[in-house]
Amino acid sequence: MTIKLIGYPISTPTLRVVICLKELGIPYEFEPPASFQALKDKDYIANKHAFGKIPVLLDGDYVINESRAICRYLVSKYQGKYNDTILIPSDVHKAGLVEQFISYESCYYDSPVSKIIGQEVFAKKFRGKDPDPEIIKQGREDLSKVLDVYEKLLEGKEYLIGEFSLADIFHCPCTNLAYGIAAHSDLWDNRPNVKNWWNNLRNRDCIKKSFEEVKN
Amino acid sequence: MTIKLIGYAASGPTTKVIITLKELGIPYELDPPATYQSLKDDDYIKNKHPFGKMPVLFDGDFRITESRAICRYLASKYQGKYNDTILLPNDVHQASLVDQYISYESFYYDPPLSKIVYQEKVAKKFFDKDPDLEVIKENREELAKVLDVFEKLLEGKEYLNGECSLADLFICPNTYHVYCIDAHSDLWDSRPNVKNWWNRLCNRDSVKTTFEEIKSFWENN
């Protein structure tokens, strides 16, 4: 039975899972919810996501939600099955470092990037409000500090732990949206190691294809 | 070589690791930083944590940061080595459900709880600011909604995934800080499943002894 992914490509958590599925070569069907409101239906909350969120993945009878948990599941179960791509190394120390960078992404990187895209991409589209320049300015300042750290961490490396991993994938969706705004691409382009890392990522076939789905 | 953990017993993230080390029976040494300010020293940032945070764990030459990553590493490497405690199930489906609950803890439960901890415990002690009552009220309301979901999730279960796992242990430190404040214990005590779950966690040796360390830290600092 084919894996089913419930979500929208524009949702950054959903896109994490899409990239992961594509990178591991796992066949899947995409199923957008009927509407955002449908996520709050009693049935959705009881059977899909207790907090009424996306994405949700169905693998036969097995239901799992939360994008990072879904991706770890896909790696544990399917890594090596459809192709040779390794997203979490089997070596316990390297795997530990992947988890460390996954934590850096969720604890330090995601918040300032989300401030920027929350205003530039989502404010008008979903809340009918103009972007708030103060929030964007704060997001840029906070992100600059984080990217200064990343610039050092990426010294001599193509990817965060050296080889490509799940930690790099997790950075992609929100970076794609923020980098795509001309006024903000400098944040990555002004830092040679960060620029190199981002270019490596956005030129990977699976990631390129996933970004196309967001555009559409 | 004994595992070395850099951090303070009072720090929520450090405490997650201490509880995990104890649950798995792993010997370790706690090495508190000289001061909070020393976390921003060039040397600390270069050799310990690039974002100037704690905890940091050294296992021989191997260095790893970020509490949840550290705990996953400890479970992957040492689970079953010192005792029989399983914190990350071997079955891929069960393990992923634990991951899902860890995600609930990180992204829904901890944010409002952390904000209450900050106002009630950190603001005055470290920054000489009075607690912001509006912020506390908003985050109590937010946390109440999350605990309503947990109340349903825990129906017929002793722990989030049935058996005790990393997901349950991760909620302990910050919950301890807020539960101990009389004005807030109702959040857990007024929900029967949540109350039982919290009491069960508090009675685990690793959790009980770690809470003693937290209490002692606050009394002496």
Side-chain angles (χ1 to χ4, degrees):
Chain A
M1 194 184 283
T2 315
I3 278 176
K4 210 156 72 162
L5 176 65
I6 299 172
Y8 293 116
I10 187 99
S11 133
T12 50
T14 305
L15 196 62
R16 271 187 206 112
V17 181
V18 168
I19 295 173
C20 185
L21 285 159
K22 286 185 168 26
E23 281 283 349
L24 294 175
I26 305 169
Y28 68 100
E29 278 168 17
F30 201 78
E31 190 181 279
S35 61
F36 269 114
Q37 289 72 26
L39 304 182
K40 306 299 172 199
D41 288 349
K42 283 211 176 93
D43 179 70
Y44 189 88
I45 288 184
N47 298 314
K48 303 269 184 339
H49 195 308
F51 288 93
K53 306 272 184 187
I54 44 171
V56 181
L57 189 121
L58 289 96
D59 189 0
D61 291 331
Y62 182 66
V63 181
I64 180 160
N65 54 62
E66 298 295 288
S67 62
R68 294 174 187 86
I70 295 171
C71 291
R72 286 193 189 90
Y73 166 72
L74 293 171
V75 170
S76 297
K77 192 159 177 196
Y78 294 108
Q79 177 167 277
K81 185 170 175 178
Y82 291 96
N83 61 27
D84 294 333
T85 303
I86 301 292
L87 296 181
I88 298 182
S90 49
D91 173 77
V92 69
H93 299 96
K94 286 189 181 170
L97 292 178
V98 172
E99 290 295 345
Q100 175 186 272
F101 283 107
I102 286 174
S103 188
Y104 287 178
E105 182 268 327
S106 54
C107 294
Y108 311 122
Y109 187 94
D110 187 67
S111 169
V113 180
S114 291
K115 272 197 181 107
I116 296 169
I117 61 178
Q119 296 305 311
E120 300 272 29
V121 177
F122 295 110
K124 197 86 189 181
K125 199 176 167 67
F126 291 101
R127 300 191 293 275
K129 285 181 165 175
D130 287 324
D132 183 332
E134 274 310 309
I135 296 179
I136 294 171
K137 182 164 171 259
Q138 188 63 57
R140 280 187 58 96
E141 279 171 17
D142 292 345
L143 184 56
S144 291
K145 292 180 193 155
V146 173
L147 287 173
D148 285 343
V149 176
Y150 273 51
E151 183 64 11
K152 294 199 179 87
L153 292 173
L154 286 161
E155 187 63 43
K157 292 194 271 178
E158 304 250 298
Y159 296 106
L160 291 165
I161 69 153
E163 55 226 54
F164 179 64
S165 78
L166 200 60
D168 302 287
I169 289 180
F170 285 178
H171 287 76
C172 287
C174 61
T175 307
N176 175 50
L177 290 176
Y179 185 81
I181 301 160
H184 302 304
S185 53
D186 65 302
L187 289 163
W188 291 267
D189 288 345
N190 286 348
R191 295 167 171 89
N193 297 333
V194 166
K195 180 179 180 178
N196 187 48
W197 167 65
W198 178 237
N199 283 340
N200 284 338
L201 283 171
R202 66 196 181 105
N203 284 312
R204 286 181 75 90
D205 274 338
C206 298
I207 294 180
K208 236 188 324 202
K209 287 200 178 92
S210 305
F211 290 167
E212 288 297 315
E213 285 184 34
V214 178
K215 253 200 214 144
N216 299 336
Chain B
M1 193 183 285
T2 314
I3 277 176
K4 203 160 77 168
L5 176 66
I6 297 173
Y8 291 126
S11 135
T14 304
T15 317
K16 282 187 181 76
V17 180
I18 291 174
I19 291 173
T20 301
L21 285 160
K22 288 183 180 174
E23 279 281 335
L24 295 175
I26 305 169
Y28 69 98
E29 280 166 18
L30 184 69
D31 189 8
T35 58
Y36 267 116
Q37 289 72 27
S38 64
L39 304 182
K40 306 300 172 198
D41 288 350
D42 282 343
D43 178 72
Y44 189 90
I45 287 185
K46 186 161 181 252
N47 298 314
K48 309 264 182 347
H49 196 309
F51 288 97
K53 305 275 183 182
M54 52 177 176
V56 182
L57 188 126
F58 284 92
D59 189 359
D61 292 332
F62 180 64
R63 169 180 48 132
I64 181 167
T65 67
E66 299 295 291
S67 61
R68 293 178 187 87
I70 294 171
C71 293
R72 280 181 209 275
Y73 164 74
L74 292 171
S76 299
K77 191 164 177 192
Y78 294 106
Q79 180 166 277
K81 186 170 175 178
Y82 292 95
N83 60 27
D84 294 332
T85 304
I86 301 290
L87 296 181
L88 273 180
N90 294 313
D91 173 78
V92 66
H93 298 95
Q94 293 305 318
S96 299
L97 290 176
V98 170
D99 272 333
Q100 177 187 284
Y101 291 118
I102 289 174
S103 191
Y104 288 1
E105 177 267 325
S106 325
F107 297 111
Y108 308 127
Y109 185 91
D110 197 60
L113 186 62
S114 290
K115 290 190 178 89
I116 299 172
V117 171
Y118 182 84
Q119 293 302 325
E120 297 277 23
K121 306 282 295 191
V122 178
K124 192 78 190 182
K125 195 174 169 71
F126 292 97
F127 301 102
D128 203 28
K129 283 185 169 173
D130 286 322
D132 184 329
L133 298 178
E134 264 314 301
V135 170
I136 293 174
K137 181 167 172 266
E138 263 171 38
N139 285 287
R140 269 190 59 100
E141 283 168 10
E142 186 62 39
L143 184 55
K145 289 182 200 160
V146 175
L147 286 168
D148 285 342
V149 176
F150 274 46
E151 181 66 10
K152 292 201 181 85
L153 292 173
L154 287 161
E155 188 60 43
K157 291 195 274 180
E158 301 219 322
Y159 294 101
L160 288 164
N161 196 42
E163 288 156 23
C164 188
S165 72
L166 278 185
D168 305 283
L169 300 182
F170 284 176
I171 69 106
C172 289
N174 279 343
T175 305
Y176 173 75
H177 286 303
V178 177
Y179 182 80
C180 287
I181 300 167
D182 286 338
H184 300 309
S185 54
D186 65 300
L187 286 164
W188 292 268
D189 286 345
S190 59
R191 295 168 170 87
N193 296 334
V194 164
K195 181 180 181 177
N196 283 341
W197 168 64
W198 175 237
N199 285 340
R200 209 167 278 123
L201 280 165
C202 289
N203 281 317
R204 292 181 78 87
D205 277 340
S206 64
V207 176
K208 224 181 339 195
T209 56
T210 306
F211 286 172
E212 289 299 316
E213 283 180 46
I214 297 176
K215 203 166 156 202
S216 173
F217 180 92
W218 284 114
E219 280 163 5
N220 297 319
N221 287 286

